[in-house]
Amino acid sequence: AEQWFASNCSLDPSVLKSTYEDAWKEGRRSYDARKEHIELARKHHATALARLQEDLAANRISREQYEEKVAALGQFRG
């Protein structure tokens, strides 16, 4: 997106596609390198996330509070 707007919305579509594919591959490599940690954190926080989602749906917490609490869970160092 940055490249698109920096080019005044005139960037060649093939360049956009290549940039997207490179970014996707880098994201995948990053995920794969941390996959075990991510899965461990997901399992560790599954109950807490479910409760937060219930609280949000029942309007017991605001969207902002929900996002803050989810971000705090992201600090997991298991």
Side-chain angles (χ1 to χ4, degrees):
E2 290 175 4
Q3 289 181 0
W4 172 255
F5 290 111
S7 74
N8 291 322
C9 306
S10 62
L11 197 61
D12 185 280
S14 65
V15 173
L16 284 175
K17 182 179 179 183
S18 175
T19 300
Y20 170 82
E21 289 171 348
D22 290 346
W24 189 91
K25 288 174 187 174
E26 176 58 30
R28 187 63 201 197
R29 281 190 295 272
S30 179
Y31 170 79
D32 288 343
R34 297 184 39 87
K35 188 175 183 176
E36 185 176 314
H37 177 80
I38 292 167
E39 184 60 21
L40 180 61
R42 185 192 66 76
K43 287 179 181 177
H44 182 77
H45 294 308
T47 301
L49 286 170
R51 284 187 187 136
L52 286 172
Q53 290 166 351
E54 289 172 9
D55 288 345
L56 180 63
N59 292 318
R60 290 188 290 265
I61 61 173
S62 68
R63 170 61 69 179
E64 183 178 284
Q65 290 170 315
Y66 172 83
E67 291 174 4
E68 287 173 4
K69 291 174 186 268
V70 169
L73 291 177
Q75 302 301 316
F76 176 70
R77 300 283 182 229

